[in-house]
Amino acid sequence: MDMAKRIMALSISKLYSLRTQRGGLSLHRSLLLSMTMRAARDIYHAAQLLRDAEEEQVVPCAPDAAIEEPMEISKDSPQTLTPKEVAMKPQEPKETLEDDKENRCASERHSRKRCCKTAVEPDFLPLKKAKMDTDEEKQHLQGEVLRTNNGNSCRQAETLTAFPTNRAIVAC
Amino acid sequence: MCRCCYPPSCPTSMAGAGGGGNDVQWCFSQVKGAIDDDVAEADIISTVEFNHSGELLATGDKGGRVVIFQQETENKSQPQCRSEYNVYSTFQSHEPEFDYLKSLEIEEKINKIRWLPQKNAAQFLLSTNDKTIKLWKISERDKRPEGYNLKEEDGRYRDAATITTLRVPVFRPMDLMVEASPRRVFVNGHTYHINSISVNSDNETYLSADDLRINLWHLEITDRSFNVVDIKPANMEELTEVITATEFHPHQCNTFVYSSSKGTIRLCDMRASALCDKHSKLFEEPEDPSNRSFFSEIISSISDVKFSHNGRYMMTRDYLSVKIWDLNMENRPVETYQVHEYLRSKLCSLYENDCIFDKFECCWNGNDSVVMTGSYNNFFRMLDRSQRRDVTLEASRESCKPRQVLKPRRVCAGGKRKKDEISVDSLDFNKKILHTAWHPQENIIAVATTNNLYIFQEKMN
């Protein structure tokens, strides 16, 4: 679980840094990173579920027991998490990494010029942006053009928050 | 095989290009490039390729330049030395560009160079960056016209009133000048990054491949190409693999292969259909479940595919191994060679420092008996198929004395390190050999480190 978490964190940061790479986004690299991150995420979530399930079993039987049962997968205790890892840790087992990414984005944002929420979109942007939430527009976004972003486009980050992690390739 | 040191004990010798059974010792011949440890990014070599005769050796770099070396005619007075390669031509092939529509910078880095077979006095090569392929003509000029009536020798026009006689201009010898001129520019054929090009044996067409598509071009036609393979899914969310390399069969002009990031190779026959989305053969080896890890997908991605010269086999390179495939057997390779198996336990660190994404190339010798590929710490591996031996050699400035024989290197993965062995943790992962080339006929190899080109040759007795 520790390894899975580390790999997830690494993968996400690498996916982000791909955007600023000279020469544009590498589809091959981002595909491999996404796949690795998905594999790590699945294992992390599975381990998390397992741990939560075991905790639920432990609590009713022994209310005064504060000791976690040793896990096969994980030896971590929550206290050992770094602040970065805490930001990554999902609030609920079912919460997708998309929200984590949002939190992470918020905590690590350094070069974006504007806060990218639909509600505060300026009205001088092209009308096309208003259709971004529709399926048709999503298809358009997932089309051939791979965009890189210097942090100037509201659209970029909007797609980040809109799509779950397994669409990281096209969101880039 | 001993697991704690790589490679197992073996002599340095191996079958030479002249045939099986000859022992070859490799010795240093030349090194090209700056000695500085501080490497300018533009000088990083990105591709190396001999032409069909081996007389010319081309390199491309990240700065978009192509440097061509020419083998000098043999020195009869010094038969121990094979002739050297000296600079023949240098030119700027690609410049950085900006795609304003997509807000994308297009790197000038030369991804691949492929020579065309020589048809006349001039030489032709294809060079490509991420988006544009160019056909270059390299020609020699060793005479120039003199004695114009209307112009001075420096090109200025003469005053007509001063012309009193008429003469016929003549060609006079001049210092050899090698000119490189772009004859064709093939643009706008690719949405994604071009990773390979391959000239057909028909000498009229060539393939170019990006992550999702392969196009067939005619060398004379620049404004259109034919898309032969398209693996782009209707919904990009369903994308699971990309194309990593493509190559035409050396003799069959209708056959080509392309490799994928999933470790598969597809052979396509253009006679079967115009669109080759459906393969004729699929080469795939089942994964060993005991080796499964987070990084299995990455290390199974094929970085290079090369047909053997005889056209019966093809070789693929993935992160840890080289595999030889018989074109008649799809379910597994006929030979597998571990390049640096000691790295398997270090994959997490290699993922962290991005080395796991390095794309190593591989090449065959002239008679397909030996294959070569690069590794880290400026090591490169020679894998002898006929004698089932392998050796690790190093391209290093410390072994640069003329005709100095290269000593085999050994890596110790665990246990007690012997003398002359280097431990895995001491390997320098910034010193990587990604690009190598083997002379088509002789035992001369070109090995590119980050910014230097080493030329090694067989020791002559």
Side-chain angles (χ1 to χ4, degrees):
Chain A
M1 189 165 155
D2 195 27
M3 171 70 97
K5 208 186 309 177
R6 182 178 166 209
I7 290 169
M8 270 201 311
L10 270 175
S11 304
I12 288 171
S13 73
K14 285 178 192 300
L15 277 165
Y16 269 91
S17 68
L18 270 187
R19 298 155 179 278
T20 53
Q21 233 174 29
R22 194 170 169 251
L25 188 98
S26 164
L27 186 64
H28 185 193
R29 179 82 61 108
S30 67
L31 176 69
L32 294 177
L33 286 170
S34 301
M35 283 181 156
T36 307
M37 191 188 56
R38 248 181 282 167
R41 180 195 63 186
D42 292 344
I43 290 182
Y44 178 81
H45 282 172
Q48 191 71 19
L49 278 170
L50 197 63
R51 193 166 77 168
D52 292 346
E54 287 189 4
E55 277 175 1
E56 280 173 19
Q57 283 176 6
V58 165
V59 169
C61 296
D64 56 339
I67 302 166
E68 254 185 329
E69 288 186 1
M71 297 271 302
E72 278 178 14
I73 301 164
S74 167
K75 291 179 183 137
D76 269 352
S77 64
Q79 290 80 5
T80 60
L81 293 176
T82 65
K84 196 187 271 190
E85 288 168 329
V86 167
M88 271 206 61
K89 196 170 149 40
Q91 300 302 317
E92 296 168 25
K94 287 184 184 171
E95 190 170 349
T96 62
L97 204 57
E98 145 201 357
D99 298 318
D100 289 330
K101 222 166 147 182
E102 190 175 353
N103 291 335
R104 190 173 171 81
C105 178
S107 66
E108 293 194 354
R109 189 178 306 143
H110 54 276
S111 63
R112 304 203 180 267
K113 288 188 179 176
R114 61 182 75 185
C115 181
C116 299
K117 303 220 171 195
T118 317
V120 295
E121 265 183 2
D123 54 5
F124 56 78
L125 285 175
L127 191 60
K128 202 175 176 182
K129 281 187 65 59
K131 292 181 189 168
M132 285 227 349
D133 291 332
T134 66
D135 287 345
E136 191 184 316
E137 198 55 40
K138 278 180 188 174
Q139 285 291 330
H140 173 75
L141 284 175
Q142 289 152 19
E144 294 178 16
V145 176
L146 298 175
R147 299 187 195 85
T148 56
N149 173 28
N150 296 328
N152 294 327
S153 169
C154 186
R155 183 182 305 175
Q156 187 66 46
E158 185 175 342
T159 59
L160 266 180
T161 56
F163 295 122
T165 318
N166 63 359
R167 297 174 195 179
I169 303 163
V170 297
C172 297
Chain B
M1 182 173 125
C2 172
R3 283 276 176 204
C4 60
C5 56
Y6 293 86
S9 305
C10 63
T12 59
S13 54
M14 63 187 53
N22 295 329
D23 291 335
V24 174
Q25 284 193 300
W26 292 98
C27 53
F28 171 81
S29 174
Q30 295 171 273
V31 59
K32 308 288 186 189
I35 303 173
D36 278 340
D37 283 335
D38 193 20
V39 178
E41 188 160 339
D43 294 336
I44 295 173
I45 297 171
S46 51
T47 185
V48 181
E49 187 81 357
F50 278 101
N51 75 337
H52 292 265
S53 65
E55 184 205 355
L56 299 177
L57 175 61
T59 62
D61 64 25
K62 269 192 136 183
R65 291 165 302 202
V66 171
V67 180
I68 301 175
F69 302 92
Q70 184 187 41
Q71 192 179 27
E72 298 298 332
T73 47
E74 280 199 28
N75 191 339
K76 301 268 188 253
S77 63
Q78 284 189 301
Q80 305 93 313
C81 294
R82 241 200 213 93
S83 37
E84 291 192 335
Y85 283 84
N86 297 317
V87 177
Y88 179 64
S89 174
T90 303
F91 57 93
Q92 188 73 33
S93 171
H94 287 72
E95 296 276 3
E97 292 173 63
F98 195 81
D99 182 338
Y100 295 97
L101 205 59
K102 300 174 187 175
S103 291
L104 280 178
E105 190 175 5
I106 301 167
E107 268 193 295
E108 66 277 29
K109 174 170 79 91
I110 307 297
N111 292 335
K112 283 286 185 305
I113 289 173
R114 288 288 181 263
W115 290 92
L116 270 57
Q118 192 174 10
K119 281 196 279 196
N120 51 38
Q123 300 277 356
F124 288 87
L125 62 80
L126 286 170
S127 66
T128 185
N129 68 349
D130 285 341
K131 295 287 183 181
T132 303
I133 307 146
K134 294 186 183 181
L135 176 69
W136 289 88
K137 177 181 178 183
I138 294 105
S139 50
E140 292 182 0
R141 188 196 292 266
D142 60 359
K143 5 179 192 314
R144 64 166 180 211
E146 284 181 14
Y148 284 110
N149 291 292
L150 300 176
K151 282 193 288 190
E152 302 287 358
E153 293 305 325
D154 59 7
R156 282 178 303 137
Y157 280 96
R158 293 167 71 187
D159 180 4
T162 64
I163 299 169
T164 55
T165 58
L166 195 64
R167 57 185 175 171
V168 177
V170 292
F171 276 105
R172 297 213 185 279
M174 59 179 260
D175 290 338
L176 179 67
M177 191 163 69
V178 181
E179 296 172 325
S181 58
R183 306 301 288 183
R184 305 275 186 276
V185 182
F186 304 90
V187 291
N188 297 327
H190 289 277
T191 305
Y192 302 98
H193 293 164
I194 297 172
N195 50 53
S196 51
I197 49 176
S198 177
V199 183
N200 202 348
S201 52
D202 66 8
N203 293 335
E204 288 184 358
T205 56
Y206 73 94
L207 289 174
S208 61
D210 66 28
D211 293 317
L212 296 180
R213 297 188 177 102
I214 301 177
N215 292 337
L216 180 70
W217 300 81
H218 193 283
L219 286 164
E220 298 293 330
I221 300 170
T222 58
D223 62 353
R224 73 197 92 119
S225 67
F226 186 70
N227 175 245
V228 287
V229 172
D230 187 344
I231 65 166
K232 184 176 177 235
N235 185 354
M236 279 293 273
E237 295 172 26
E238 292 163 5
L239 182 71
T240 54
E241 66 181 324
V242 297
I243 297 167
T244 53
T246 190
E247 188 169 71
F248 261 122
H249 191 277
H251 313 307
Q252 297 166 14
C253 58
N254 53 285
T255 305
F256 67 93
V257 293
Y258 68 93
S259 58
S260 84
S261 56
K262 273 194 162 177
T264 61
I265 310 100
R266 288 169 174 83
L267 183 141
C268 299
D269 186 338
M270 295 194 289
R271 297 170 303 185
S273 70
L275 292 173
C276 297
D277 287 359
K278 194 172 167 229
H279 53 264
S280 298
K281 292 191 184 186
L282 173 66
F283 298 83
E284 186 175 18
E285 183 179 27
E287 189 194 352
D288 180 1
S290 63
N291 279 334
R292 183 96 196 132
S293 75
F294 286 116
F295 311 106
S296 295
E297 302 274 0
I298 302 179
I299 63 171
S300 64
S301 177
I302 292 173
S303 51
D304 195 16
V305 63
K306 292 266 173 44
F307 276 105
S308 61
H309 291 95
N310 60 19
R312 286 183 53 199
Y313 300 96
M314 63 179 174
M315 164 168 53
T316 57
R317 175 70 154 99
D318 51 59
Y319 189 65
L320 295 179
S321 67
V322 161
K323 295 178 182 176
I324 311 287
W325 302 79
D326 185 320
L327 294 189
N328 297 315
M329 189 160 76
E330 297 168 60
N331 60 349
R332 60 177 176 82
V334 289
E335 296 156 35
T336 300
Y337 300 92
Q338 300 304 326
V339 180
H340 36 218
E341 182 67 12
Y342 46 79
L343 296 183
R344 194 179 287 277
S345 58
K346 310 282 180 191
L347 292 179
C348 193
S349 308
L350 294 165
Y351 184 69
E352 221 168 326
N353 63 17
D354 281 345
C355 285
I356 204 172
F357 299 106
D358 286 334
K359 293 177 186 174
F360 292 95
E361 292 175 6
C362 52
C363 58
W364 297 84
N365 75 337
N367 67 355
D368 302 330
S369 60
V370 186
V371 298
M372 170 168 63
T373 190
S375 180
Y376 293 104
N377 209 71
N378 282 349
F379 287 170
F380 58 100
R381 301 267 285 136
M382 311 282 260
L383 311 163
D384 189 328
R385 299 178 59 217
S386 49
Q387 300 190 28
R388 304 297 285 194
R389 286 179 187 160
D390 57 85
V391 70
T392 302
L393 301 172
E394 184 182 0
S396 158
R397 287 273 178 182
E398 289 163 9
S399 315
C400 279
K401 290 180 197 137
R403 297 186 297 285
Q404 179 177 357
V405 174
L406 294 184
K407 209 172 117 182
R409 302 304 309 263
R410 293 160 65 84
V411 177
C412 181
K416 198 172 172 186
R417 189 177 69 88
K418 291 180 194 165
K419 189 187 166 193
D420 290 343
E421 281 180 0
I422 180 167
S423 71
V424 180
D425 298 320
S426 305
L427 294 174
D428 187 343
F429 290 95
N430 292 318
K431 292 183 180 174
K432 51 192 91 173
I433 290 176
L434 304 175
H435 312 288
T436 57
W438 204 310
H439 190 288
Q441 277 115 37
E442 298 171 27
N443 276 339
I444 302 174
I445 54 175
V447 170
T449 59
T450 308
N451 67 329
N452 286 151
L453 183 73
Y454 285 79
I455 299 173
F456 301 106
Q457 62 187 36
E458 180 182 10
K459 181 169 181 263
M460 310 289 274
N461 297 318

